[in-house]
């Protein structure tokens, strides 16, 4: 029984490693020694990731005197990859990685009439992004998704799939 559990644990850890986010490009390309860079993970880019005092610092959103951490690291593995890029430069992946898998982790309802909830989205279990579920002012009863300004999608189909999943999950939750 113990052997079976060990084998299962090994398989799960290898599967998690295979599904990890991969850095496909960096801007500026010579990131070694720079203070800030934009990192692309196949289907999306996180802008303004900084390396300050020996630590990777993700971008924040400031609004009305408040600071919000809309992009968060979930794994030491991704932190290590980002840190290595700032210290040693980034190597391009041998093959183009597949689009990351996303999952809606939670909804946090808000008291705002416009931004009705925050949707927490994880990408391959390595990165968490907080997107806003916005109530449309033009069409009552419809919603759209607002992503942080430091998140850009290079793949429109991937962005659309995320938006559709968030809106469908939000509508289902509120039935």
């Amino acid at each position: 029984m113990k052997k079976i559990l060990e084998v299962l644990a090994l398989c799960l850890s290898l599967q998690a490693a295979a599904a990890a986010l991969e850095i496909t490009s960096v801007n500026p390309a010579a990131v070694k020694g720079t203070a800030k860079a934009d990192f692309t993970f196949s289907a999306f880019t996180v802008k303004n990731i900084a390396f300050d005092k020996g630590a990777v610092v993700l971008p924040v959103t400031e609004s009305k005197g408040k600071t919000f951490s809309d992009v968060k690291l979930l794994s030491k593995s991704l932190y290590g990859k980002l840190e290595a890029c700032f210290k040693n430069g980034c190597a391009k992946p041998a093959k183009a990685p597949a689009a990351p898998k996303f999952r809606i982790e939670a909804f946090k309802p808000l008291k705002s009439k416009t931004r009705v909830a925050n949707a927490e989205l994880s990408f391959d279990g390595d990165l968490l992004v907080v997107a806003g579920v916005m109530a449309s002012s033009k069409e009552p009863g419809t919603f759209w998704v607002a992503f942080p300004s430091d998140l850009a999608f290079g793949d429109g189909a991937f962005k659309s799939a995320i938006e559709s999943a968030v809106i469908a999950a939000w509508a289902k939750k509120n039935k």
Side-chain angles (χ1 to χ4, degrees):
M1 180 69 167
K2 184 177 178 184
K3 276 281 194 206
I4 293 172
L5 291 175
E6 288 174 1
V7 171
L8 182 61
L10 177 65
C11 289
L12 290 175
S13 66
L14 291 175
Q15 180 184 11
L21 277 179
E22 292 295 328
I23 300 168
T24 55
S25 69
V26 182
N27 186 17
V31 70
K32 182 178 178 181
T34 63
K36 277 190 179 179
D38 300 343
F39 287 83
T40 301
F41 304 95
S42 69
F44 65 92
T45 301
V46 179
K47 300 177 186 175
N48 299 313
I49 296 178
F51 193 66
D52 187 31
K53 299 177 185 171
V56 175
V57 180
L58 293 173
V60 295
T61 303
E62 294 186 20
S63 178
K64 299 178 184 175
K66 293 183 180 180
T67 302
F68 302 97
S69 298
D70 291 333
V71 181
K72 302 171 189 174
L73 289 172
L74 296 176
S75 74
K76 289 180 182 180
S77 166
L78 183 56
Y79 182 92
K81 290 176 189 177
L82 295 170
E83 182 179 42
C85 282
F86 279 113
K87 289 182 175 180
N88 308 319
C90 284
K92 291 193 176 190
K95 61 177 184 165
K101 292 183 177 146
F102 69 91
R103 184 174 145 192
I104 301 167
E105 297 293 336
F107 285 106
K108 307 279 176 145
L110 303 172
K111 294 179 181 177
S112 170
K113 290 181 182 180
T114 306
R115 187 173 181 133
V116 295
N118 285 335
E120 294 181 351
L121 310 168
S122 70
F123 294 92
D124 285 344
D126 288 334
L127 190 73
L128 184 82
V129 173
V130 179
V133 178
M134 312 295 285
S136 174
S137 60
K138 295 179 182 178
E139 298 177 39
T142 59
F143 301 96
W144 57 280
V145 179
F147 293 100
S149 60
D150 288 310
L151 186 73
F153 290 92
D155 182 353
F158 185 70
K159 179 181 180 184
S160 181
I162 294 171
E163 290 171 329
S164 297
V166 169
I167 292 168
W170 177 250
K172 183 178 177 181
K173 182 179 185 331
N174 290 309
K175 276 190 174 182

